Amino acid sequence: MTTFLHISDTHISGGAPDDPHWQADAHGHPNAGVAALIQAVNRLPFAFDFILHTGDVCNDPDEANYQRARELLIQLPGPVYLLPGNHDSSDLMRRCLHDGSKLRLLQDDHVQLGGLHLLTLDSGDEDSHQARLCDAQIDFLEAQLRSIGAEPTIVAMHHMPVASGVEYFDDKMRPQIGDRVHDVLKRHSGKIAGVFFGHVHLTAATLRDGILYACCPSTHYNNFAYPGMPERITDPLAPGGFNLVMIGDHGVFLRRFHLPMSV
């Protein structure tokens, strides 16, 4: 059995205590959520194989933010696999965070973790803050899945590739060619254990054609989600958190862990 923690959207800041203002005023400082995460993870009464961070590691692509991120994330048990989000700079992540062992940046990559394969796609675009995927990435996904035998495979990216039924998320927060990701995965569904993403700041799951798509909460602030929701609405009562994922002969098990509310 493979066991990992799924975290996302930490939005770490290396600036002043009240920076970034637009988040701190409404939700508390994002670093407080990361501090709570570190404490909670290091107190877990069980072992796990790795941590998967699905992007928006920092709030802005600034070197001071990534230096602070390293100081914080190095306190987590490794290895920690880090994907870029739309708030991130992959260049700064590689320069400041990636050490190839405990902290490892993944973009369009294929990593074998024991009997489990991890395929990652870099869907972030720091210039536009929008979801971005291209034809070459779809081809990469197809080629890698063809190369894998019957071993279980998980796919990770920052953005949600398939529709959720929540209007704002589906219209504003998905890659335009997200359905093509699903078309590829559907052809190889027998080996897909799950697709894991962040960006929407909540715990939710979509089951489509037998494929599980699951996101985890932000450690900082989280959103509402309901049918017809036309714009992003934050949920002030939803705590930060992370997900435990267990993959084995039993299938896939997910459990959300809550963090104390940031202040």
Side-chain angles (χ1 to χ4, degrees):
M1 182 173 69
T2 299
T3 301
F4 67 93
L5 304 183
H6 180 196
I7 67 176
S8 199
D9 297 275
T10 47
H11 289 272
I12 295 167
S13 172
D18 61 346
D19 178 56
H21 301 284
W22 66 273
Q23 295 198 75
D25 291 346
H27 309 289
H29 197 277
N31 293 9
V34 180
L37 170 74
I38 293 166
Q39 185 176 68
V41 168
N42 282 306
R43 288 181 174 178
L44 290 174
F46 56 85
F48 51 86
D49 297 296
F50 61 92
I51 296 175
L52 175 65
H53 190 316
T54 52
D56 281 359
V57 174
C58 289
N59 190 65
D60 293 298
D62 178 84
E63 185 162 353
N65 292 345
Y66 288 102
Q67 294 295 349
R68 183 60 180 141
R70 180 172 181 81
E71 294 170 358
L72 291 169
L73 296 176
I74 203 72
Q75 299 176 52
L76 292 169
V80 182
Y81 296 101
L82 303 162
L83 279 66
N86 54 291
H87 282 261
D88 287 313
S89 161
S90 56
D91 289 340
L92 284 172
M93 289 178 71
R94 189 167 299 279
R95 187 193 319 161
C96 301
L97 296 178
H98 177 84
D99 59 22
S101 55
K102 185 166 187 177
L103 302 178
R104 183 170 175 181
L105 171 65
L106 298 179
Q107 294 182 265
D108 300 331
D109 282 298
H110 178 186
V111 180
Q112 188 161 1
L113 305 166
L116 180 76
H117 293 264
L118 169 61
L119 291 177
T120 60
L121 296 176
D122 180 358
S123 62
D125 187 343
E126 63 188 272
D127 295 325
S128 69
H129 281 273
Q130 301 300 312
R132 174 195 53 78
L133 285 173
C134 66
D135 292 344
Q137 291 173 292
I138 302 297
D139 294 341
F140 165 82
L141 181 64
E142 178 76 60
Q144 296 304 309
L145 286 169
R146 287 184 182 277
S147 73
I148 295 170
E151 297 95 344
T153 301
I154 61 173
V155 177
M157 55 193 297
H158 181 59
H159 295 87
M160 54 185 291
V162 296
S164 64
V166 180
E167 180 179 336
Y168 176 78
F169 294 158
D170 295 345
D171 292 345
K172 305 295 185 182
M173 304 187 81
R174 295 176 58 222
Q176 291 185 344
I177 59 174
D179 284 335
R180 290 180 57 194
V181 172
H182 178 74
D183 290 342
V184 172
L185 298 179
K186 184 178 177 181
R187 288 195 288 273
H188 302 274
S189 60
K191 66 184 76 170
I192 304 299
V195 181
F196 299 91
F197 61 95
H199 190 54
V200 291
H201 287 235
L202 52 79
T203 296
T206 296
L207 187 65
R208 182 170 171 183
D209 295 319
I211 298 172
L212 172 69
Y213 293 85
C215 61
C216 72
S218 167
T219 54
H220 179 209
Y221 74 91
N222 288 284
N223 294 320
F224 279 111
Y226 53 81
M229 190 175 77
E231 59 186 11
R232 182 175 65 84
I233 303 173
T234 59
D235 182 354
L237 299 181
F242 61 96
N243 285 352
L244 162 68
V245 185
M246 298 162 53
I247 299 174
D249 294 340
H250 62 276
V252 181
F253 174 85
L254 289 90
R255 186 223 160 164
R256 178 179 180 180
F257 282 79
H258 298 276
L259 297 174
M261 300 289 281
S262 298
V263 294

PDB file of all heavy atoms in Angstrom, residues 121-157:
ATOM      1  N   LEU A 121       1.690  17.220 -14.458  1.00  0.00           N
ATOM      2  CA  LEU A 121       1.587  18.206 -15.533  1.00  0.00           C
ATOM      3  C   LEU A 121       1.659  19.601 -14.916  1.00  0.00           C
ATOM      4  O   LEU A 121       0.994  19.876 -13.911  1.00  0.00           O
ATOM      5  CB  LEU A 121       0.276  18.055 -16.297  1.00  0.00           C
ATOM      6  CG  LEU A 121       0.060  16.748 -17.065  1.00  0.00           C
ATOM      7  CD1 LEU A 121      -1.338  16.736 -17.675  1.00  0.00           C
ATOM      8  CD2 LEU A 121       1.118  16.565 -18.141  1.00  0.00           C
ATOM      9  N   ASP A 122       2.456  20.471 -15.512  1.00  0.00           N
ATOM     10  CA  ASP A 122       2.577  21.856 -15.061  1.00  0.00           C
ATOM     11  C   ASP A 122       1.502  22.675 -15.772  1.00  0.00           C
ATOM     12  O   ASP A 122       1.638  23.025 -16.942  1.00  0.00           O
ATOM     13  CB  ASP A 122       3.970  22.378 -15.384  1.00  0.00           C
ATOM     14  CG  ASP A 122       4.181  23.820 -14.951  1.00  0.00           C
ATOM     15  OD1 ASP A 122       3.231  24.440 -14.438  1.00  0.00           O
ATOM     16  OD2 ASP A 122       5.302  24.332 -15.140  1.00  0.00           O
ATOM     17  N   SER A 123       0.436  22.996 -15.048  1.00  0.00           N
ATOM     18  CA  SER A 123      -0.676  23.748 -15.647  1.00  0.00           C
ATOM     19  C   SER A 123      -0.682  25.211 -15.233  1.00  0.00           C
ATOM     20  O   SER A 123      -1.616  25.944 -15.560  1.00  0.00           O
ATOM     21  CB  SER A 123      -2.011  23.106 -15.259  1.00  0.00           C
ATOM     22  OG  SER A 123      -2.208  23.148 -13.846  1.00  0.00           O
ATOM     23  N   GLY A 124       0.337  25.664 -14.509  1.00  0.00           N
ATOM     24  CA  GLY A 124       0.373  27.046 -14.053  1.00  0.00           C
ATOM     25  C   GLY A 124       0.925  27.991 -15.102  1.00  0.00           C
ATOM     26  O   GLY A 124       1.734  27.607 -15.950  1.00  0.00           O
ATOM     27  N   ASP A 125       0.492  29.225 -15.061  1.00  0.00           N
ATOM     28  CA  ASP A 125       1.008  30.273 -15.945  1.00  0.00           C
ATOM     29  C   ASP A 125       1.150  31.539 -15.114  1.00  0.00           C
ATOM     30  O   ASP A 125       0.165  32.239 -14.860  1.00  0.00           O
ATOM     31  CB  ASP A 125       0.064  30.500 -17.127  1.00  0.00           C
ATOM     32  CG  ASP A 125       0.630  31.467 -18.161  1.00  0.00           C
ATOM     33  OD1 ASP A 125       1.573  32.198 -17.823  1.00  0.00           O
ATOM     34  OD2 ASP A 125       0.120  31.502 -19.290  1.00  0.00           O
ATOM     35  N   GLU A 126       2.377  31.820 -14.663  1.00  0.00           N
ATOM     36  CA  GLU A 126       2.596  32.950 -13.771  1.00  0.00           C
ATOM     37  C   GLU A 126       2.345  34.288 -14.449  1.00  0.00           C
ATOM     38  O   GLU A 126       2.086  35.294 -13.783  1.00  0.00           O
ATOM     39  CB  GLU A 126       4.014  32.921 -13.222  1.00  0.00           C
ATOM     40  CG  GLU A 126       5.086  33.059 -14.284  1.00  0.00           C
ATOM     41  CD  GLU A 126       6.479  32.823 -13.739  1.00  0.00           C
ATOM     42  OE1 GLU A 126       7.085  33.790 -13.257  1.00  0.00           O
ATOM     43  OE2 GLU A 126       6.935  31.671 -13.781  1.00  0.00           O
ATOM     44  N   ASP A 127       2.403  34.328 -15.776  1.00  0.00           N
ATOM     45  CA  ASP A 127       2.194  35.590 -16.483  1.00  0.00           C
ATOM     46  C   ASP A 127       0.721  35.996 -16.521  1.00  0.00           C
ATOM     47  O   ASP A 127       0.385  37.163 -16.354  1.00  0.00           O
ATOM     48  CB  ASP A 127       2.738  35.491 -17.907  1.00  0.00           C
ATOM     49  CG  ASP A 127       4.247  35.314 -17.937  1.00  0.00           C
ATOM     50  OD1 ASP A 127       4.925  35.892 -17.058  1.00  0.00           O
ATOM     51  OD2 ASP A 127       4.746  34.589 -18.810  1.00  0.00           O
ATOM     52  N   SER A 128      -0.149  35.024 -16.740  1.00  0.00           N
ATOM     53  CA  SER A 128      -1.570  35.348 -16.875  1.00  0.00           C
ATOM     54  C   SER A 128      -2.401  34.951 -15.660  1.00  0.00           C
ATOM     55  O   SER A 128      -3.554  35.352 -15.528  1.00  0.00           O
ATOM     56  CB  SER A 128      -2.146  34.640 -18.105  1.00  0.00           C
ATOM     57  OG  SER A 128      -2.191  33.235 -17.905  1.00  0.00           O
ATOM     58  N   HIS A 129      -1.827  34.146 -14.747  1.00  0.00           N
ATOM     59  CA  HIS A 129      -2.548  33.590 -13.601  1.00  0.00           C
ATOM     60  C   HIS A 129      -3.700  32.685 -14.040  1.00  0.00           C
ATOM     61  O   HIS A 129      -4.600  32.398 -13.258  1.00  0.00           O
ATOM     62  CB  HIS A 129      -3.084  34.685 -12.664  1.00  0.00           C
ATOM     63  CG  HIS A 129      -2.036  35.259 -11.759  1.00  0.00           C
ATOM     64  ND1 HIS A 129      -1.727  34.713 -10.534  1.00  0.00           N
ATOM     65  CD2 HIS A 129      -1.212  36.311 -11.915  1.00  0.00           C
ATOM     66  CE1 HIS A 129      -0.773  35.420  -9.966  1.00  0.00           C
ATOM     67  NE2 HIS A 129      -0.430  36.391 -10.779  1.00  0.00           N
ATOM     68  N   GLN A 130      -3.675  32.223 -15.283  1.00  0.00           N
ATOM     69  CA  GLN A 130      -4.725  31.349 -15.788  1.00  0.00           C
ATOM     70  C   GLN A 130      -4.210  29.917 -15.903  1.00  0.00           C
ATOM     71  O   GLN A 130      -3.015  29.659 -15.874  1.00  0.00           O
ATOM     72  CB  GLN A 130      -5.204  31.838 -17.166  1.00  0.00           C
ATOM     73  CG  GLN A 130      -5.747  33.253 -17.169  1.00  0.00           C
ATOM     74  CD  GLN A 130      -6.935  33.433 -16.249  1.00  0.00           C
ATOM     75  OE1 GLN A 130      -7.879  32.640 -16.266  1.00  0.00           O
ATOM     76  NE2 GLN A 130      -6.893  34.475 -15.436  1.00  0.00           N
ATOM     77  N   ALA A 131      -5.165  28.994 -16.032  1.00  0.00           N
ATOM     78  CA  ALA A 131      -4.797  27.605 -16.281  1.00  0.00           C
ATOM     79  C   ALA A 131      -4.264  27.475 -17.701  1.00  0.00           C
ATOM     80  O   ALA A 131      -4.798  28.070 -18.634  1.00  0.00           O
ATOM     81  CB  ALA A 131      -6.023  26.706 -16.097  1.00  0.00           C
ATOM     82  N   ARG A 132      -3.185  26.677 -17.849  1.00  0.00           N
ATOM     83  CA  ARG A 132      -2.572  26.534 -19.157  1.00  0.00           C
ATOM     84  C   ARG A 132      -2.084  25.104 -19.351  1.00  0.00           C
ATOM     85  O   ARG A 132      -1.337  24.562 -18.543  1.00  0.00           O
ATOM     86  CB  ARG A 132      -1.379  27.477 -19.289  1.00  0.00           C
ATOM     87  CG  ARG A 132      -0.580  27.299 -20.578  1.00  0.00           C
ATOM     88  CD  ARG A 132       0.771  27.974 -20.489  1.00  0.00           C
ATOM     89  NE  ARG A 132       1.536  27.572 -19.328  1.00  0.00           N
ATOM     90  CZ  ARG A 132       2.202  26.410 -19.229  1.00  0.00           C
ATOM     91  NH1 ARG A 132       2.167  25.544 -20.212  1.00  0.00           N
ATOM     92  NH2 ARG A 132       2.893  26.116 -18.132  1.00  0.00           N
ATOM     93  N   LEU A 133      -2.537  24.497 -20.433  1.00  0.00           N
ATOM     94  CA  LEU A 133      -2.002  23.223 -20.909  1.00  0.00           C
ATOM     95  C   LEU A 133      -1.866  23.318 -22.415  1.00  0.00           C
ATOM     96  O   LEU A 133      -2.630  24.041 -23.061  1.00  0.00           O
ATOM     97  CB  LEU A 133      -2.922  22.055 -20.540  1.00  0.00           C
ATOM     98  CG  LEU A 133      -2.941  21.581 -19.082  1.00  0.00           C
ATOM     99  CD1 LEU A 133      -4.037  20.548 -18.890  1.00  0.00           C
ATOM    100  CD2 LEU A 133      -1.591  21.003 -18.663  1.00  0.00           C
ATOM    101  N   CYS A 134      -0.918  22.570 -22.987  1.00  0.00           N
ATOM    102  CA  CYS A 134      -0.717  22.627 -24.425  1.00  0.00           C
ATOM    103  C   CYS A 134      -0.744  21.221 -25.018  1.00  0.00           C
ATOM    104  O   CYS A 134      -0.739  20.221 -24.295  1.00  0.00           O
ATOM    105  CB  CYS A 134       0.600  23.319 -24.762  1.00  0.00           C
ATOM    106  SG  CYS A 134       2.071  22.430 -24.217  1.00  0.00           S
ATOM    107  N   ASP A 135      -0.760  21.161 -26.342  1.00  0.00           N
ATOM    108  CA  ASP A 135      -0.821  19.877 -27.036  1.00  0.00           C
ATOM    109  C   ASP A 135       0.343  18.970 -26.649  1.00  0.00           C
ATOM    110  O   ASP A 135       0.171  17.752 -26.507  1.00  0.00           O
ATOM    111  CB  ASP A 135      -0.814  20.099 -28.551  1.00  0.00           C
ATOM    112  CG  ASP A 135      -2.077  20.765 -29.064  1.00  0.00           C
ATOM    113  OD1 ASP A 135      -3.083  20.781 -28.320  1.00  0.00           O
ATOM    114  OD2 ASP A 135      -2.062  21.287 -30.198  1.00  0.00           O
ATOM    115  N   ALA A 136       1.536  19.541 -26.497  1.00  0.00           N
ATOM    116  CA  ALA A 136       2.705  18.730 -26.167  1.00  0.00           C
ATOM    117  C   ALA A 136       2.542  18.033 -24.820  1.00  0.00           C
ATOM    118  O   ALA A 136       3.021  16.900 -24.628  1.00  0.00           O
ATOM    119  CB  ALA A 136       3.959  19.598 -26.166  1.00  0.00           C
ATOM    120  N   GLN A 137       1.865  18.680 -23.880  1.00  0.00           N
ATOM    121  CA  GLN A 137       1.654  18.056 -22.579  1.00  0.00           C
ATOM    122  C   GLN A 137       0.649  16.910 -22.664  1.00  0.00           C
ATOM    123  O   GLN A 137       0.792  15.898 -21.967  1.00  0.00           O
ATOM    124  CB  GLN A 137       1.182  19.111 -21.571  1.00  0.00           C
ATOM    125  CG  GLN A 137       2.273  20.120 -21.222  1.00  0.00           C
ATOM    126  CD  GLN A 137       1.742  21.250 -20.369  1.00  0.00           C
ATOM    127  OE1 GLN A 137       0.940  22.072 -20.836  1.00  0.00           O
ATOM    128  NE2 GLN A 137       2.167  21.298 -19.124  1.00  0.00           N
ATOM    129  N   ILE A 138      -0.357  17.056 -23.514  1.00  0.00           N
ATOM    130  CA  ILE A 138      -1.301  15.962 -23.733  1.00  0.00           C
ATOM    131  C   ILE A 138      -0.568  14.775 -24.355  1.00  0.00           C
ATOM    132  O   ILE A 138      -0.765  13.612 -23.960  1.00  0.00           O
ATOM    133  CB  ILE A 138      -2.461  16.416 -24.638  1.00  0.00           C
ATOM    134  CG1 ILE A 138      -3.194  17.626 -24.031  1.00  0.00           C
ATOM    135  CG2 ILE A 138      -3.427  15.263 -24.885  1.00  0.00           C
ATOM    136  CD1 ILE A 138      -3.864  17.364 -22.711  1.00  0.00           C
ATOM    137  N   ASP A 139       0.306  15.046 -25.305  1.00  0.00           N
ATOM    138  CA  ASP A 139       1.096  13.984 -25.930  1.00  0.00           C
ATOM    139  C   ASP A 139       2.023  13.319 -24.912  1.00  0.00           C
ATOM    140  O   ASP A 139       2.205  12.087 -24.937  1.00  0.00           O
ATOM    141  CB  ASP A 139       1.919  14.543 -27.090  1.00  0.00           C
ATOM    142  CG  ASP A 139       1.060  15.027 -28.253  1.00  0.00           C
ATOM    143  OD1 ASP A 139      -0.121  14.613 -28.331  1.00  0.00           O
ATOM    144  OD2 ASP A 139       1.569  15.817 -29.073  1.00  0.00           O
ATOM    145  N   PHE A 140       2.622  14.114 -24.038  1.00  0.00           N
ATOM    146  CA  PHE A 140       3.487  13.571 -22.992  1.00  0.00           C
ATOM    147  C   PHE A 140       2.701  12.621 -22.092  1.00  0.00           C
ATOM    148  O   PHE A 140       3.167  11.512 -21.775  1.00  0.00           O
ATOM    149  CB  PHE A 140       4.076  14.720 -22.161  1.00  0.00           C
ATOM    150  CG  PHE A 140       4.695  14.288 -20.860  1.00  0.00           C
ATOM    151  CD1 PHE A 140       5.987  13.786 -20.828  1.00  0.00           C
ATOM    152  CD2 PHE A 140       3.977  14.389 -19.674  1.00  0.00           C
ATOM    153  CE1 PHE A 140       6.559  13.380 -19.622  1.00  0.00           C
ATOM    154  CE2 PHE A 140       4.547  13.982 -18.466  1.00  0.00           C
ATOM    155  CZ  PHE A 140       5.846  13.478 -18.440  1.00  0.00           C
ATOM    156  N   LEU A 141       1.523  13.035 -21.686  1.00  0.00           N
ATOM    157  CA  LEU A 141       0.693  12.200 -20.806  1.00  0.00           C
ATOM    158  C   LEU A 141       0.368  10.870 -21.479  1.00  0.00           C
ATOM    159  O   LEU A 141       0.496   9.799 -20.865  1.00  0.00           O
ATOM    160  CB  LEU A 141      -0.582  12.954 -20.441  1.00  0.00           C
ATOM    161  CG  LEU A 141      -1.560  12.241 -19.513  1.00  0.00           C
ATOM    162  CD1 LEU A 141      -0.935  12.002 -18.142  1.00  0.00           C
ATOM    163  CD2 LEU A 141      -2.846  13.057 -19.376  1.00  0.00           C
ATOM    164  N   GLU A 142      -0.042  10.933 -22.741  1.00  0.00           N
ATOM    165  CA  GLU A 142      -0.373   9.713 -23.482  1.00  0.00           C
ATOM    166  C   GLU A 142       0.842   8.795 -23.593  1.00  0.00           C
ATOM    167  O   GLU A 142       0.741   7.572 -23.359  1.00  0.00           O
ATOM    168  CB  GLU A 142      -0.871  10.093 -24.877  1.00  0.00           C
ATOM    169  CG  GLU A 142      -1.197   8.916 -25.773  1.00  0.00           C
ATOM    170  CD  GLU A 142      -2.507   8.238 -25.432  1.00  0.00           C
ATOM    171  OE1 GLU A 142      -3.556   8.909 -25.488  1.00  0.00           O
ATOM    172  OE2 GLU A 142      -2.457   7.033 -25.106  1.00  0.00           O
ATOM    173  N   ALA A 143       1.991   9.349 -23.936  1.00  0.00           N
ATOM    174  CA  ALA A 143       3.190   8.533 -24.114  1.00  0.00           C
ATOM    175  C   ALA A 143       3.617   7.869 -22.811  1.00  0.00           C
ATOM    176  O   ALA A 143       3.998   6.689 -22.796  1.00  0.00           O
ATOM    177  CB  ALA A 143       4.318   9.391 -24.673  1.00  0.00           C
ATOM    178  N   GLN A 144       3.547   8.606 -21.723  1.00  0.00           N
ATOM    179  CA  GLN A 144       3.955   8.033 -20.439  1.00  0.00           C
ATOM    180  C   GLN A 144       3.005   6.929 -19.998  1.00  0.00           C
ATOM    181  O   GLN A 144       3.438   5.890 -19.482  1.00  0.00           O
ATOM    182  CB  GLN A 144       4.036   9.132 -19.373  1.00  0.00           C
ATOM    183  CG  GLN A 144       5.086  10.186 -19.640  1.00  0.00           C
ATOM    184  CD  GLN A 144       6.466   9.607 -19.817  1.00  0.00           C
ATOM    185  OE1 GLN A 144       6.940   8.827 -18.989  1.00  0.00           O
ATOM    186  NE2 GLN A 144       7.134   9.987 -20.908  1.00  0.00           N
ATOM    187  N   LEU A 145       1.721   7.129 -20.185  1.00  0.00           N
ATOM    188  CA  LEU A 145       0.761   6.096 -19.802  1.00  0.00           C
ATOM    189  C   LEU A 145       0.922   4.846 -20.654  1.00  0.00           C
ATOM    190  O   LEU A 145       0.759   3.720 -20.169  1.00  0.00           O
ATOM    191  CB  LEU A 145      -0.666   6.643 -19.890  1.00  0.00           C
ATOM    192  CG  LEU A 145      -1.055   7.606 -18.768  1.00  0.00           C
ATOM    193  CD1 LEU A 145      -2.365   8.308 -19.085  1.00  0.00           C
ATOM    194  CD2 LEU A 145      -1.154   6.866 -17.431  1.00  0.00           C
ATOM    195  N   ARG A 146       1.263   5.018 -21.913  1.00  0.00           N
ATOM    196  CA  ARG A 146       1.509   3.858 -22.774  1.00  0.00           C
ATOM    197  C   ARG A 146       2.733   3.071 -22.304  1.00  0.00           C
ATOM    198  O   ARG A 146       2.797   1.850 -22.486  1.00  0.00           O
ATOM    199  CB  ARG A 146       1.696   4.308 -24.228  1.00  0.00           C
ATOM    200  CG  ARG A 146       0.419   4.749 -24.924  1.00  0.00           C
ATOM    201  CD  ARG A 146       0.688   5.077 -26.396  1.00  0.00           C
ATOM    202  NE  ARG A 146      -0.506   5.543 -27.066  1.00  0.00           N
ATOM    203  CZ  ARG A 146      -1.440   4.749 -27.583  1.00  0.00           C
ATOM    204  NH1 ARG A 146      -1.295   3.425 -27.489  1.00  0.00           N
ATOM    205  NH2 ARG A 146      -2.493   5.261 -28.194  1.00  0.00           N
ATOM    206  N   SER A 147       3.693   3.770 -21.717  1.00  0.00           N
ATOM    207  CA  SER A 147       4.939   3.112 -21.293  1.00  0.00           C
ATOM    208  C   SER A 147       4.789   2.363 -19.975  1.00  0.00           C
ATOM    209  O   SER A 147       5.655   1.560 -19.615  1.00  0.00           O
ATOM    210  CB  SER A 147       6.054   4.146 -21.164  1.00  0.00           C
ATOM    211  OG  SER A 147       5.881   4.963 -20.009  1.00  0.00           O
ATOM    212  N   ILE A 148       3.714   2.628 -19.244  1.00  0.00           N
ATOM    213  CA  ILE A 148       3.496   2.015 -17.938  1.00  0.00           C
ATOM    214  C   ILE A 148       2.695   0.726 -18.116  1.00  0.00           C
ATOM    215  O   ILE A 148       1.740   0.690 -18.895  1.00  0.00           O
ATOM    216  CB  ILE A 148       2.744   2.992 -17.000  1.00  0.00           C
ATOM    217  CG1 ILE A 148       3.620   4.214 -16.713  1.00  0.00           C
ATOM    218  CG2 ILE A 148       2.334   2.308 -15.706  1.00  0.00           C
ATOM    219  CD1 ILE A 148       2.884   5.335 -16.002  1.00  0.00           C
ATOM    220  N   GLY A 149       3.077  -0.306 -17.395  1.00  0.00           N
ATOM    221  CA  GLY A 149       2.334  -1.554 -17.464  1.00  0.00           C
ATOM    222  C   GLY A 149       1.017  -1.449 -16.726  1.00  0.00           C
ATOM    223  O   GLY A 149       0.277  -0.480 -16.882  1.00  0.00           O
ATOM    224  N   ALA A 150       0.747  -2.415 -15.887  1.00  0.00           N
ATOM    225  CA  ALA A 150      -0.518  -2.423 -15.149  1.00  0.00           C
ATOM    226  C   ALA A 150      -0.397  -1.774 -13.773  1.00  0.00           C
ATOM    227  O   ALA A 150      -1.354  -1.788 -12.995  1.00  0.00           O
ATOM    228  CB  ALA A 150      -1.007  -3.867 -15.000  1.00  0.00           C
ATOM    229  N   GLU A 151       0.783  -1.207 -13.468  1.00  0.00           N
ATOM    230  CA  GLU A 151       0.985  -0.633 -12.141  1.00  0.00           C
ATOM    231  C   GLU A 151       0.056   0.556 -11.899  1.00  0.00           C
ATOM    232  O   GLU A 151      -0.244   1.318 -12.820  1.00  0.00           O
ATOM    233  CB  GLU A 151       2.437  -0.181 -11.980  1.00  0.00           C
ATOM    234  CG  GLU A 151       3.466  -1.293 -12.056  1.00  0.00           C
ATOM    235  CD  GLU A 151       4.015  -1.418 -13.462  1.00  0.00           C
ATOM    236  OE1 GLU A 151       3.390  -0.867 -14.395  1.00  0.00           O
ATOM    237  OE2 GLU A 151       5.057  -2.066 -13.621  1.00  0.00           O
ATOM    238  N   PRO A 152      -0.400   0.748 -10.653  1.00  0.00           N
ATOM    239  CA  PRO A 152      -1.258   1.903 -10.358  1.00  0.00           C
ATOM    240  C   PRO A 152      -0.526   3.209 -10.601  1.00  0.00           C
ATOM    241  O   PRO A 152       0.674   3.329 -10.328  1.00  0.00           O
ATOM    242  CB  PRO A 152      -1.621   1.712  -8.881  1.00  0.00           C
ATOM    243  CG  PRO A 152      -0.572   0.802  -8.336  1.00  0.00           C
ATOM    244  CD  PRO A 152      -0.160  -0.082  -9.463  1.00  0.00           C
ATOM    245  N   THR A 153      -1.257   4.180 -11.121  1.00  0.00           N
ATOM    246  CA  THR A 153      -0.689   5.469 -11.503  1.00  0.00           C
ATOM    247  C   THR A 153      -1.566   6.579 -10.958  1.00  0.00           C
ATOM    248  O   THR A 153      -2.797   6.510 -11.039  1.00  0.00           O
ATOM    249  CB  THR A 153      -0.607   5.587 -13.037  1.00  0.00           C
ATOM    250  OG1 THR A 153       0.212   4.528 -13.543  1.00  0.00           O
ATOM    251  CG2 THR A 153      -0.029   6.921 -13.456  1.00  0.00           C
ATOM    252  N   ILE A 154      -0.938   7.601 -10.404  1.00  0.00           N
ATOM    253  CA  ILE A 154      -1.670   8.807 -10.030  1.00  0.00           C
ATOM    254  C   ILE A 154      -1.178   9.949 -10.902  1.00  0.00           C
ATOM    255  O   ILE A 154      -0.016   9.990 -11.306  1.00  0.00           O
ATOM    256  CB  ILE A 154      -1.542   9.154  -8.532  1.00  0.00           C
ATOM    257  CG1 ILE A 154      -0.097   9.425  -8.139  1.00  0.00           C
ATOM    258  CG2 ILE A 154      -2.143   8.058  -7.677  1.00  0.00           C
ATOM    259  CD1 ILE A 154       0.060   9.928  -6.710  1.00  0.00           C
ATOM    260  N   VAL A 155      -2.074  10.860 -11.208  1.00  0.00           N
ATOM    261  CA  VAL A 155      -1.775  12.039 -12.009  1.00  0.00           C
ATOM    262  C   VAL A 155      -2.004  13.259 -11.132  1.00  0.00           C
ATOM    263  O   VAL A 155      -2.978  13.307 -10.370  1.00  0.00           O
ATOM    264  CB  VAL A 155      -2.662  12.096 -13.266  1.00  0.00           C
ATOM    265  CG1 VAL A 155      -2.401  13.364 -14.071  1.00  0.00           C
ATOM    266  CG2 VAL A 155      -2.430  10.855 -14.132  1.00  0.00           C
ATOM    267  N   ALA A 156      -1.106  14.238 -11.214  1.00  0.00           N
ATOM    268  CA  ALA A 156      -1.236  15.439 -10.393  1.00  0.00           C
ATOM    269  C   ALA A 156      -0.984  16.673 -11.236  1.00  0.00           C
ATOM    270  O   ALA A 156      -0.136  16.681 -12.127  1.00  0.00           O
ATOM    271  CB  ALA A 156      -0.272  15.396  -9.214  1.00  0.00           C
ATOM    272  N   MET A 157      -1.731  17.723 -10.939  1.00  0.00           N
ATOM    273  CA  MET A 157      -1.584  19.021 -11.584  1.00  0.00           C
ATOM    274  C   MET A 157      -2.198  20.054 -10.657  1.00  0.00           C
ATOM    275  O   MET A 157      -2.857  19.707  -9.664  1.00  0.00           O
ATOM    276  CB  MET A 157      -2.254  19.024 -12.961  1.00  0.00           C
ATOM    277  CG  MET A 157      -3.718  18.621 -12.939  1.00  0.00           C
ATOM    278  SD  MET A 157      -4.420  18.255 -14.572  1.00  0.00           S
ATOM    279  CE  MET A 157      -4.254  19.830 -15.384  1.00  0.00           C
TER     280      MET A 157
END
